[in-house]
Amino acid sequence: MDKFKITGPSQLRGTVRASGAKNAALPALTVSLLTDQALTLDRVPAVRDLKTLRDLLQGLGIESQDGSDGSLRLQAGDDLSSFEAPYDLVKKMRASILVLGPLTARRGRAKVSLPGGCAIGVRPIDQHIAGLRALGAEVELEHGYVLTHAKRLQGTRFSFSLPTVTGTENLMMAACLAKGETVLENCAREPEIENLADLLVTLGAQIEGAGTPTIHIQGVDELGTGRHEIIADRIEGGTYLIGAAMTRGDVRLEGARPEHLMDLIEALEDVGASVTTGDDWIRVEGVGDLVARDISTAPHPGFPTDLQAQFMALLTQTRGVSRVHETIFENRFQHVAELLRMGADIHVEEHTATVSGPTQLSGADVMATDLRASASLVLAGLVAHGVTEVSRIYHLDRGYDAMERKLESLGARVERIPGPPTP
Ligand code: EPZ
């Protein structure tokens, strides 16, 4: 298990390009299950979760090849008989649940291991199941698996009890091949959902309203071939912008769309950073004094839960008291214990963390527990005095493409220390 050795304090200065979004690429790869023609994707990030999904799709008869131009080409084989996503792969990455909708719609059946919980929460899929039942699928839960069966899905009107990103994606994909019209209400509105709809429409689907609470899908008999670019990873990019503010640096993020990060931009300006933007870039300068600011996570377009841990690391460097309210997941404060060991002053009560600052952080050996908590510890290591070693950074490798190289290109002193292979 590799670790990062970070020597602080340092300032992040320079230009960095956002990779393609992990959370847009994951559903995009599962679209290969909906068509028997070739699918070509551009800007797929080189992160572990996508390698895991490619392995899972291979078991379902999908061949994937890296193109010489950096694209990823996926093609379903002739054998459509497989329909199982086994526990040993699903437990590695709960986003594997995204094969449930496409398999049920295209192959008429699916056997997908229940994802089980993860470090940040229980992660139920009741809405995915209720939606597939509304589309006419028979759905059973047996021995830790979701089993679905459907001759042909029937268009329906379904309202989510709460906005769910992968729930919206699963049902939008399934409804593309249903008979008749489907209306999905109370949908999640994340940009990754809009990007998925753009891909499906490129292949011949008829979808309107993706990115809004109500999505209309007119079912078609089959989908065709096409090429599609994954949008920039707003969470990866937001991580570097937060790093710029907290290290009093100056970073220009290229290839990212400001409209996908409006709540973060507002929060950075409120703490005192200077933010300028263009069509496809965002620049953050951490000038002068930083002041405390409350944040409360919410479904898009609210403040992203996936940036909560990183922003909390910044708040340790702001003057005053900030309250961080996590409303999406029940256990997303695991970075707090490690930040405390570095000298932060944070008190957690239920789903609210109270951060007092500024505190001088000191380098320490810390352990990553989940993807975004790991990023928070790396950012803290950039401002801490001395050496911080972040262990178990396989969590980081799940969602950040070449993080140490990008940070080094911005002036940070970060070294990856190879460890024994990850289990
Ligand atoms: C997606 O997870 C993202 N993952 C997560 O990013 C992100 O944190 C999350 O959306 C929220 O923005 C991918 O897109 C692959 P949800 P997802 O269903 O779809 C509850 C990262 O760091 N819920 O929108 O699993 C659930 O418990 C990852 O990149 C139900 O109750 O999240 C949670 O409280 C972490 N029943 C809330 O909804 C359901 O059927 C939002 O979850 C589904 C969800």
Side-chain angles (χ1 to χ4, degrees), residues 16 48 93 121 131 142:
V16 66
R48 265 168 64 114
M93 182 191 60
E142 270 177 29

Side-chain angles (χ1 to χ4, degrees), residues 374-398:
S374 322
S376 169
L377 299 180
V378 171
L379 294 181
L382 297 177
V383 296
H385 282 241
V387 173
T388 296
E389 287 203 353
V390 184
S391 59
R392 301 190 176 183
I393 55 160
Y394 59 85
H395 290 290
L396 209 62
D397 293 335
R398 292 190 52 188

Side-chain angles (χ1 to χ4, degrees), residues 157 182-189 208-216:
R157 177 180 289 272
T182 295
V183 180
L184 300 177
E185 295 171 324
N186 197 24
C187 297
R189 299 163 56 190
E208 286 181 7
T212 77
T214 304
I215 302 176
H216 292 258

